[in-house]
């Protein structure tokens, strides 16, 4: 697989001297051709700055950025084979839907007939044919979103950049557009770089995710890796619900550590790559709430008591207090009409094999 | 239940508001009414007549100064608007630079400096120029009016630019437009209402300017307002009312157009 975007040692500092703000630090990244790649992080983590640098709206303070093997330094947005779907859509209000979609091709100097053909094709692709002659103010938010997509796809860019494009839509429309985006990406085969702060959006749509915080990439991997094998506390905390347990290490064998659980039982936990704690050290281990199974008191590896429970319909979240006082959340699927345990009920907790993981600290 | 504060319930609010409107508009109403007076009195109604309008239209001098006023306003407003567009772009579509506020203040200087001061300053400079160059044509008036009109053209254009999402220009350049193409196809068409408003406003301002014209003009360069001022020193006939009413109507047309243009946004 070829690499569409290669970023090495990229950094960005805004301002100078005492008021300087380091927006990005040492970003190394390569994005494959045809990949759906997501930059995920909270607001202010630098994900949009990184996107704007790929687009050419910002220029790096250091490092290199290559698109399709070509160094992009000194090239403006109009000289890069990438197009952007803006958060606000930024449709040209004085032009019709068709004129908006055709704008990029017109600027590239394509012939009138080629522009018309591509615009018609794009209108079909985003199912907006009946709206071709409307102005952006005369169509709904979801439709504007489709036009913004069609406009960015029309010049057939190497890479499509999407800056939180779904954040302005309501939940139902957002779900629709998620599958629509996935469909468009598959149909066009264009590399998508998608920026979002919504972890669910990132997990469901991406081939790979880079989790960012404070201007750095903390972890880069498939949605599966990011969810099941978070390397750092921030990643584990930002994506999904997690139980954090502080446990002492009693033995290490390869990349597996043996930890002592509250109550004295031992459990094995996978270590993140490149992290080796010493015997006796207390590390933070994580287990997802749905990976723990509720049992009778005395069963399983952990014991605790029920502090409270919240009924969610498909599942019930049980807030437990472990024997050593640490909190633990357990998610029980409501596969049958099970009684909800009352607060104070003693319970046993079984952890599935391989579910406990040590975080880098 | 406590009611929210409303200035309209303050004692005397209605009376003061009414008095203000009366003070502003009653004299204008009187002026307009007596322009249709059949007699030559400003105080005694002698029946309806259009004779003073006929007289005004037939007056060679009125024709001459009106035409001069109109073309002077058109040229001054045109040049001022053409200069105000790059000025507005240069003060909004750039990252902040040292001295930006200073430049903003300088552009708007004619709004701040008393007109009489500008008038006397221009009088001195223009008199000096006239002596040294021998040129006494309309150029001085055109220049003076243009300079005076720039802030009136600049402010609506700038206001329009500030409401224009700069992301649109980013989107244009992302879609392969050169900076000039982005301006030509995106910024300029969206700026048209601001430009038109700026032109209208400066046109009206130029039409109306008395003080500066009075100080800068050479002999035989009266504009409509300075001509009217000159006439008032003699006898006031309702012909003056008729001219003033026509002048008012013209200004109203422009101000209404300005309002309609600026109201329709997006």
């Amino acid at each position: 697989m070829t690499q569409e975007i290669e970023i090495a040692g990229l950094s960005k500092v805004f301002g100078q001297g005492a008021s300087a703000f380091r927006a990005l630090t040492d970003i190394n990244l390569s994005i494959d051709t045809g990949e759906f790649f997501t930059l995920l992080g909270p607001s202010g983590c630098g994900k949009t700055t990184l996107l704007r640098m790929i687009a050419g709206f910002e220029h790096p303070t250091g490092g290199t950025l290559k698109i399709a093997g070509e160094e992009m330094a000194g090239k403006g947005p109009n000289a890069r084979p990438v197009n952007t779907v803006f958060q606000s859509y930024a449709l040209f209000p004085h032009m019709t839907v068709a004129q908006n979609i055709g704008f990029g091709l017109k600027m590239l100097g394509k012939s009138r007939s080629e522009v018309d053909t591509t615009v018609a094709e794009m209108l079909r692709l985003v199912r907006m044919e009946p709206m071709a002659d409307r102005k952006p103010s005369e169509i709904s938010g979801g439709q504007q979103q489709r036009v913004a997509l069609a406009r960015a796809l029309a010049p057939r860019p190497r890479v499509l950049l999407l800056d939180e494009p779904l954040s302005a839509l309501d939940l139902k429309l957002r779900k629709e557009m998620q599958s629509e985006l996935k469909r468009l990406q598959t149909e066009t085969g264009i590399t998508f770089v998608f920026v979002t702060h919504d972890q669910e959006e990132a997990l469901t749509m991406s081939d790979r995710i880079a989790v960012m915080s404070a201007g750095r990439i903390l972890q880069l991997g498939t949605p599966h890796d990011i969810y099941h094998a978070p390397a750092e506390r921030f990643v584990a905390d930002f994506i999904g619900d997690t139980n954090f347990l502080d446990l002492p290490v009693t033995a290490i064998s390869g990349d597996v550590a043996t930890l002592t659980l509250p109550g004295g039982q031992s459990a094995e936990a996978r270590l993140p790559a490149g992290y080796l704690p010493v015997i006796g050290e207390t590390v933070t281990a994580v287990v997802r709430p749905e990976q723990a199974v509720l049992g009778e008191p005395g069963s399983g590896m952990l014991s605790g008591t029920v502090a409270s429970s919240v009924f969610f319909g498909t599942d019930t979240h049980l807030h437990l207090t472990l024997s050593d006082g640490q909190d633990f959340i357990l998610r029980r699927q409501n596969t049958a009409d099970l009684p909800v345990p009352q607060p104070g009920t003693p319970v046993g907790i079984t952890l599935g094999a391989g579910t406990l993981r040590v975080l880098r600290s | 239940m406590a009611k929210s504060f409303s200035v309209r319930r303050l004692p005397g609010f209605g009376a003061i508001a009414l008095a203000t409107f009366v003070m502003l508009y009653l004299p204008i109403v009187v002026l307009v009414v007596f322009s249709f007076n059949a007699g030559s009195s400003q105080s005694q109604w002698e029946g309806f007549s259009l004779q003073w309008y006929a007289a005004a239209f037939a007056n060679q001098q009125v024709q001459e100064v009106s035409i001069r006023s109109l073309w002077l306003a058109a040229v001054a407003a045109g040049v001022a608007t053409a200069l105000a567009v790059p000025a507005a772009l240069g003060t909004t579509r750039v990252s902040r630079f040292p001295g930006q506020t200073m430049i903003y203040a300088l552009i708007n200087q004619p709004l701040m400096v008393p007109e009489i001061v500008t008038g006397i300053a221009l009088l001195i400079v223009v008199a000096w120029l006239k002596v040294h160059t021998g040129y006494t044509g309309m150029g001085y008036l055109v220049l003076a009016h243009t300079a005076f009109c720039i802030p009136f053209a600049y402010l609506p254009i700038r206001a329009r630019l500030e409401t224009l999402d700069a992301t649109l220009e980013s989107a244009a350049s992302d879609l392969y437009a050169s900076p000039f193409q982005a301006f030509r196809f995106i910024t300029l068409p969206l700026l048209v209402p601001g430009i038109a408003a700026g032109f209208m406003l400066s046109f009206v301002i130029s039409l109306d300017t008395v003080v500066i014209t009075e100080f800068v003009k050479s002999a035989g360069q009266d504009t409509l307002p300075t001509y009217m001022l000159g006439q008032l020193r003699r006898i006031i006939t309702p012909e003056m009312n008729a001219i003033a009413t026509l002048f008012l109507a013209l200004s109203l047309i422009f101000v209404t157009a300005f309002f309609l243009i600026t109201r329709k946004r997006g």
Side-chain angles (χ1 to χ4, degrees), chain B residues 55 65 167 210:
Chain B
V65 298
T167 316
V210 178

Side-chain angles (χ1 to χ4, degrees), chain A residues 78 80 83-84 91-92 94, chain B residues 168 173-177 185 190:
Chain A
N78 57 342
R80 299 186 181 204
N83 290 129
T84 307
L91 296 177
F92 306 131
H94 59 302
Chain B
L168 294 177
S173 74
D174 185 64
L175 292 161
Y176 313 109
F185 294 114
L190 292 171

Side-chain angles (χ1 to χ4, degrees), chain A residues 57 77-78 80-84 86 88 90-95 103-104 106-108 151 155, chain B residues 164-165 167-179 181-182 185-187 189-190 266:
Chain A
F57 297 124
N78 57 342
R80 299 186 181 204
V82 300
N83 290 129
T84 307
F86 293 86
S88 62
L91 296 177
F92 306 131
H94 59 302
M95 296 184 188
F103 187 82
K106 194 175 147 194
M107 292 302 108
L108 285 171
R151 184 179 69 176
Chain B
L164 265 191
D165 184 3
T167 316
L168 294 177
E169 288 152 42
S170 297
S173 74
D174 185 64
L175 292 161
Y176 313 109
S178 68
Q181 284 172 321
F185 294 114
I186 307 301
T187 317
L190 292 171

